[in-house]
């Protein structure tokens, strides 16, 4: 049964007083979650609930806790967290109903006990000069698109999975088995590669693979090792991302978590070989890595020696997009999938929302009359199947047209991010032409799109059709 409140956002009042940070989070989450769910979500702030005489937390689907030191020190926030945990106890063992957004860095031990094991969505940036955390001054900057918006999209998909279960009584993971079923260990890494790991994590997950660890690894050495060994035993592939920082050392240990995971993965490889069980390791070192200390330098030297002497390990120092392609090839080869062929130079993917089905028809006819094959999104069916078709289209296209009709600019930015991530879906060649056709209100901030070589076409229907016709002529040449 669907809850009355989809999302309840709990936060310390101080974290919203100056900049309205939490209000902005709600504003941005609303349209992104709507795109994922196919309907408008009901998102409520704690401040709204505080005005109710007797709030009933049983009516809320998920709780999003905006974690800061002020949150931890707030008795009211802690009380909300405890009451929601108690109210959702019957389903909390089956699915995650609490999500933690980190507005500022907090170590695991600093966080409330009830959320320490949960993955955190890190929505802050680190000052490169001072190393201090700070809020994004511009939510639409290049830095925010790589961090804040990526995390927001991930949060939206995860919230949807919980809401889907509450309404349908079954998990999306049951659908995913149709498209994947393999289990992959994606090692947790240091903070400098959090974004890169999350990108790989979500892409693998949405392609149908089970990705472990599914929770934050414990802070004590013995529990840490036990959890890693258990997850590795279920996996046929382990992936390790290595950056500049050595990472946190579990309590009671003398090596970082990422080094321990590598050692246990190597041991798993030896055991798998003895039993003639398939197991492979992919190790990625960031191309521009700058060793921050002696321990990290020694660790990377150890990785290089290990890769040279181990048949099951491959070490790469390539751009991340190339590494993601290698991951896909590794997985596709292992399950004998035939790779999807890219376009023939005459394939246009016209991305639009369901609400613009009628408005986009003249543009589809124009593209076809110009001699191009037209790919369009599907809107009927399960989320995972729709996402799979979208990814196939991103791999096949030669040119892309994003149609902005009744949707907002945030929807357009999401599609732009998909184009940026297309190489990670297995593309071999760059996208030749990209254009946004605005069939509704003009786009206010065109700079983010221009920086990504996305031309913007505006005007009434006749003007935009003529401009698109000119674009297609240029594309042919």
């Amino acid at each position: 049964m669907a809850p009355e409140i989809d999302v309840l956002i709990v936060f310390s009042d101080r974290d919203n007083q100056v900049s309205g940070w939490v209000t902005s989070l709600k504003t941005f989450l609303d349209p992104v979650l709507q795109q994922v769910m196919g309907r408008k979500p009901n998102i409520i702030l704690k401040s709204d609930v505080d005005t109710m005489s007797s709030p009933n937390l049983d009516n809320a689907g998920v709780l999003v806790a905006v974690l800061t030191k002020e949150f931890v020190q707030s008795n009211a926030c802690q009380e909300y967290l405890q009451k929601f945990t108690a109210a959702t106890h019957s389903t909390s063992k089956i699915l995650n109903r609490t999500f933690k957004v980190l507005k500022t860095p907090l170590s695991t031990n600093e966080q409330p006990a009830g959320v320490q094991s949960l993955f955190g969505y890190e929505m802050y940036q680190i000052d490169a000069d001072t190393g201090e955390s700070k809020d994004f001054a511009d939510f639409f900057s290049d830095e925010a698109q790589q961090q804040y918006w990526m995390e927001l999209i991930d949060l939206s998909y995860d919230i949807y999975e919980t809401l889907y279960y509450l309404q349908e009584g079954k998990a999306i993971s049951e659908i995913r088995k149709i498209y994947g079923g393999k289990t992959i260990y994606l090692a947790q890494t240091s903070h400098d590669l959090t974004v890169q790991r999350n990108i790989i994590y979500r892409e693998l997950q949405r392609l149908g693979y089970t990705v472990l660890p599914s929770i934050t690894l414990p802070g004590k050495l013995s529990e840490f090792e036990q959890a890693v060994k258990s997850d590795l035993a279920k996996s046929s592939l382990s992936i390790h991302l290595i950056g500049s920082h050595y990472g946190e050392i579990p309590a009671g240990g003398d090596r970082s978590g990422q080094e321990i995971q590598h050692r246990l993965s190597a041991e798993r490889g030896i055991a798998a070989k003895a039993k003639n069980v398939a197991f492979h390791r992919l190790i990625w070192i960031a191309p521009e890595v700058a060793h921050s200390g002696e321990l990290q330098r020694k660790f990377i030297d150890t990785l290089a020696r290990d890769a040279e002497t181990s048949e099951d390990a491959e070490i790469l120092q390539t751009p991340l997009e190339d590494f993601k392609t290698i991951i896909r090839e590794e997985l596709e080869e292992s399950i004998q999938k035939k790779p999807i062929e890219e376009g023939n130079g005459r394939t246009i993917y016209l991305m639009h929302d369901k609400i613009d089905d009628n408005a986009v028809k003249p543009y589809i006819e124009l593209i076809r009359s110009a001699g191009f094959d037209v790919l369009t999104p599907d809107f009927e069916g399960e989320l995972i199947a729709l996402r799979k078709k979208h990814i196939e289209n991103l791999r096949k296209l030669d040119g892309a047209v994003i149609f902005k009709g009744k949707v907002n600019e945030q929807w357009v930015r999401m599609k732009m991010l998909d184009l940026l991530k297309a190489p990670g879906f297995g593309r071999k060649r760059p996208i030749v032409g990209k254009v946004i056709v605005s069939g509704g209100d003009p786009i206010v901030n065109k700079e983010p799109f221009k920086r990504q070589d996305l031309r913007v076409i505006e005007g009434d229907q006749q003007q935009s059709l003529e401009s698109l016709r000119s674009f297609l002529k240029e594309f042919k040449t």
Side-chain angles (χ1 to χ4, degrees):
M1 181 177 179
E4 294 178 13
I5 300 172
D6 291 311
V7 182
L8 170 62
I9 302 178
V10 177
F11 56 96
S12 166
D13 292 337
R14 289 185 59 186
D15 291 321
N16 200 40
Q17 286 173 349
V18 178
S19 63
W21 193 94
V22 180
T23 301
S24 295
L25 174 65
K26 177 188 175 184
T27 300
F28 298 144
L29 180 63
D30 189 295
V32 177
L33 190 54
Q34 182 174 346
Q35 292 297 325
V36 176
M37 295 173 61
R39 65 172 177 83
K40 184 173 178 59
N42 183 18
I43 303 175
I44 300 294
L45 297 180
K46 178 185 74 72
S47 51
D48 300 324
V49 180
D50 288 341
T51 61
M52 301 179 185
S53 57
S54 56
N56 182 7
L57 297 187
D58 289 334
N59 294 332
V62 305
L63 181 145
V64 173
V66 180
L67 295 191
T68 60
K69 290 183 179 179
E70 287 73 19
F71 181 102
V72 176
Q73 295 167 0
S74 168
N75 291 331
C77 290
Q78 297 279 14
E79 185 177 352
Y80 264 102
L81 195 57
Q82 292 168 6
K83 284 184 177 180
F84 184 79
T85 300
T88 59
H89 177 73
S90 61
T91 56
S92 61
K93 293 182 178 180
I94 304 173
L95 72 163
N96 181 32
R97 296 186 63 177
T98 302
F99 299 85
K100 66 179 183 185
V101 166
L102 292 167
K103 182 177 180 291
T104 58
L106 282 179
S107 68
T108 302
N109 292 334
E110 291 177 302
Q111 300 170 19
V115 299
Q116 287 183 358
S117 64
L118 301 178
F119 274 126
Y121 305 85
E122 298 178 353
M123 294 188 175
Y124 55 84
Q125 61 178 329
I126 300 295
D127 190 295
D129 297 324
T130 66
E132 298 294 324
S133 70
K134 60 181 181 179
D135 292 343
F136 287 101
D138 179 3
F139 285 110
F140 304 114
S141 65
D142 290 341
E143 293 79 8
Q145 288 177 21
Q146 292 296 319
Q147 176 73 32
Y148 183 92
W149 285 92
M150 287 291 189
E151 295 288 273
L152 187 71
I153 292 170
D154 288 344
L155 174 63
S156 299
Y157 272 96
D158 290 342
I159 288 174
Y160 170 73
E161 291 198 9
T162 294
L163 296 177
Y164 180 91
Y165 183 93
L166 293 175
Q167 181 171 344
E168 303 295 334
K170 61 181 179 180
I172 288 181
S173 59
E174 297 175 17
I175 303 168
R176 282 191 177 129
K177 291 177 182 177
I178 300 172
Y179 304 104
K182 292 178 69 68
T183 299
I184 301 165
Y185 187 88
L186 179 59
Q188 293 184 8
T189 187
S190 52
H191 175 77
D192 58 316
L193 292 182
T194 298
V195 174
Q196 290 86 339
R197 183 186 184 276
N198 284 349
I199 290 172
I200 293 175
Y201 181 92
R202 299 305 174 185
E203 290 181 4
L204 289 172
Q205 191 180 58
R206 290 166 194 160
L207 285 170
Y209 300 102
T210 299
V211 186
L212 301 174
S214 58
I215 62 172
T216 300
L217 292 171
K220 294 182 180 179
L221 178 62
S222 58
E223 298 173 1
F224 184 100
E225 291 185 334
Q226 183 178 356
V228 173
K229 288 179 180 179
S230 175
D231 285 347
L232 283 170
K234 304 170 187 173
S235 307
S236 59
L237 172 70
S238 70
I239 301 170
H240 305 258
L241 309 180
I242 311 300
S244 299
H245 299 290
Y246 187 61
E248 295 185 11
I249 298 175
D254 59 0
R255 293 290 182 269
S256 70
Q258 58 181 342
E259 185 167 355
I260 294 170
Q261 290 173 94
H262 167 260
R263 173 176 57 81
L264 295 176
S265 178
E267 292 175 1
R268 157 71 169 144
I270 294 171
K273 183 178 180 181
K275 298 178 181 179
N276 199 26
V277 175
F279 183 76
H280 192 63
R281 292 182 289 148
L282 292 177
I283 304 165
W284 180 76
I285 300 177
E288 304 300 326
V289 65
H291 309 323
S292 59
E294 184 69 13
L295 286 175
Q296 185 67 350
R297 185 187 64 78
K298 289 182 177 180
F299 175 41
I300 291 177
D301 289 344
T302 300
L303 291 174
R305 290 194 300 269
D306 172 56
E308 291 174 359
T309 58
S310 300
E311 294 180 3
D312 70 311
E314 184 177 358
I315 190 167
L316 303 114
Q317 194 164 14
T318 65
L320 184 66
E321 296 301 330
D322 292 344
F323 180 64
K324 290 193 293 181
T325 300
I326 291 169
I327 294 173
R328 287 179 59 85
E329 290 174 348
E330 172 75 21
L331 293 169
E332 289 177 348
E333 181 181 350
S334 67
I335 59 177
Q336 297 182 343
K337 277 186 178 178
K338 182 180 179 181
I340 298 172
E341 297 295 331
E342 292 187 10
N344 56 9
R346 306 187 66 83
T347 302
I348 302 290
Y349 184 19
L350 196 156
M351 290 179 272
H352 67 92
D353 189 74
K354 185 178 182 180
I355 196 172
D356 292 317
D357 256 347
N358 290 326
V360 81
K361 289 179 180 178
Y363 300 90
I364 295 176
E365 293 175 3
L366 172 64
I367 296 171
R368 284 177 177 157
S369 66
F372 292 91
D373 297 327
V374 183
L375 302 173
T376 56
D378 288 342
F379 300 106
E380 302 298 329
E382 299 288 359
L383 173 67
I384 302 304
L386 299 181
R387 181 68 180 171
K388 185 170 182 282
K389 174 66 179 298
H390 178 56
I391 290 172
E392 289 176 356
N393 289 343
L394 287 170
R395 296 178 66 186
K396 290 179 180 179
L397 66 85
D398 299 297
V401 176
I402 301 174
F403 183 81
K404 177 188 177 297
K406 296 179 181 179
V407 295
N408 56 31
E409 289 186 32
Q410 293 160 12
W411 180 90
V412 180
R413 289 188 184 94
M414 289 176 61
K415 299 307 172 188
M416 179 185 71
L417 287 173
D418 281 347
L419 291 177
L420 292 176
K421 294 188 292 181
F425 298 138
R427 287 190 62 84
K428 305 294 185 184
R429 297 182 288 114
I431 300 172
V432 179
K434 299 175 287 186
V435 65
I436 299 169
V437 176
S438 181
D441 296 331
I443 292 177
V444 177
N445 183 12
K446 300 181 178 63
E447 287 305 314
F449 306 119
K450 290 180 179 178
R451 287 196 293 268
Q452 301 301 333
D453 295 325
L454 267 161
R455 184 185 304 184
V456 177
I457 292 176
E458 294 179 324
D460 59 29
Q461 186 181 86
Q462 183 177 352
Q463 291 172 327
S464 59
L465 283 169
E466 285 301 320
S467 297
L468 180 59
R469 183 178 286 109
S470 298
F471 167 80
L472 294 173
K473 287 181 180 178
E474 294 176 19
F475 185 82
K476 279 185 176 181
T477 60

